[in-house]
Amino acid sequence: MTELDPHTLRVAASLVRSRIANLKRDSRMDGLQRLGAHRTLTQLAVDLEVSADHAGPRRRRRPA
């Protein structure tokens, strides 16, 4: 694969954001670990979105 696929990057960002939403329920982590994970995952999601925007336009949905 020579090019980044913007759709794949956006899906990865979506998966990271869903993991962020589940952090509050993770009883294995204390508050500081959750805060650090939240910040790191948020930055990762932003980076993936920016990379996707740079790699190509969003897919357009076909009219139903």
Side-chain angles (χ1 to χ4, degrees):
M1 181 175 187
T2 60
E3 289 185 26
L4 292 173
D5 177 19
H7 177 69
T8 302
L9 290 171
R10 288 186 180 93
V11 169
S14 174
L15 291 171
V16 170
R17 291 186 195 285
S18 69
R19 178 62 181 131
I20 292 169
N22 291 331
L23 279 175
K24 291 180 181 176
R25 293 181 288 199
D26 193 345
S27 61
R28 295 172 295 160
M29 300 172 73
D30 67 18
L32 288 177
Q33 288 174 320
R34 279 193 294 271
L35 180 61
H38 184 273
R39 288 180 179 163
T40 302
L41 290 173
T42 300
Q43 186 61 52
L44 175 59
V46 169
D47 291 346
L48 288 168
E49 287 284 342
V50 169
S51 295
D53 291 342
H54 180 71
R58 291 187 180 269
R59 286 187 179 173
R60 295 181 186 228
R61 293 187 180 184
R62 294 180 182 173

